Amino acid sequence: MDKPPLFGPFLRKGSYSRVQVLENLFADDHFAALYQETSILSEVDELMLYRRYLRKEDRVLLYGNLSPYLFNTLCEEGYDLYLVEPELNRITGIAEPYLYRVYGLSNDLIDVLGDGVFHKIILPGTTISRYSRGELLLFFRNIRQLLAVNGQLLVTIHNADYLKQHVQPIASRRMQDCNVFYGQRVEKSRLIFNLYLKSRREEKVSYLVEYLYEPETLFEFAQLSRYKGRTLYSGKSVSILELDKIG
């Protein structure tokens, strides 16, 4: 098995037998909450973006990492939203009347909902960044089946240059009954996020690897997967792309 991508003090902590190494960062609620907090880029108001971009007559699939507050608010306002979220501890805030609209990665959405039933699929930057180049190209091709004729992808990506210039070497946070240390490191086209938690009861480390992409790369993948793309917004820390299903 490959060694976990730990660096510096996180690597040293992970070498101690008393420290648990978590392969899934989201298995720990403290780690998940801290990652969610640090991954938010405030340049774009997501709620206003979706209100302007979405139509209430459209069926929309949000593919991962949407806050329960946003999901609840948009559903209450009459938007026909569905959510794919693989981590159960990230949907605890979703209101009970809308839980039937939430699916895990284990669900075959085509079998459950049918082929070509979504007018739009929203892919946040933290979803895109989880895939390597080969995985992302395959992902774009596979989700075509969920899109209706003339359906669209709305893709948000974090700008690679901005992330490289604003990596957090080492920081700490007091969270309830424990201390959490975290840091970032760029290795070629990967952003590596490390965390270490210490409490009276336990010590653990974890990590997350994200891939850095430029809009040009996603447009290239879009063309190979039979989409036609354009830039809706290009900012300092984030870009928003629209990809039309063609053919």
Side-chain angles (χ1 to χ4, degrees), residues 190-202:
R190 304 192 309 169
L191 179 67
I192 300 174
F193 189 49
N194 279 191
L195 306 102
Y196 163 69
L197 177 150
K198 183 175 183 179
S199 69
R200 293 182 178 180
R201 302 183 305 277
E202 60 184 352

Side-chain angles (χ1 to χ4, degrees), residues 45-61:
D45 184 328
E46 283 189 280
L47 183 57
M48 292 305 298
L49 168 67
Y50 297 143
R51 281 171 171 165
R52 292 178 181 177
Y53 182 75
L54 302 178
R55 301 182 307 172
K56 294 184 178 180
E57 59 266 32
D58 287 341
R59 175 173 282 189
V60 180
L61 178 65

Side-chain angles (χ1 to χ4, degrees), residues 116-154:
V117 296
F118 292 104
H119 301 96
K120 298 182 187 295
I121 298 178
I122 296 175
L123 304 174
T126 47
T127 296
I128 292 293
S129 64
R130 304 292 170 78
Y131 295 100
S132 66
R133 292 175 65 92
E135 292 169 338
L136 185 56
L137 181 57
L138 182 61
F139 176 68
F140 276 162
R141 290 174 175 172
N142 288 341
I143 60 174
R144 278 180 55 85
Q145 300 174 74
L146 294 170
L147 278 175
V149 176
N150 300 323
Q152 297 171 318
L153 303 180
L154 182 69

Side-chain angles (χ1 to χ4, degrees), residues 22-41:
L22 293 180
E23 293 186 5
N24 180 9
L25 174 154
F26 299 105
D28 181 90
D29 289 342
H30 298 91
F31 287 164
L34 185 55
Y35 171 76
Q36 181 77 16
E37 179 184 330
T38 58
S39 64
I40 293 174
L41 297 178

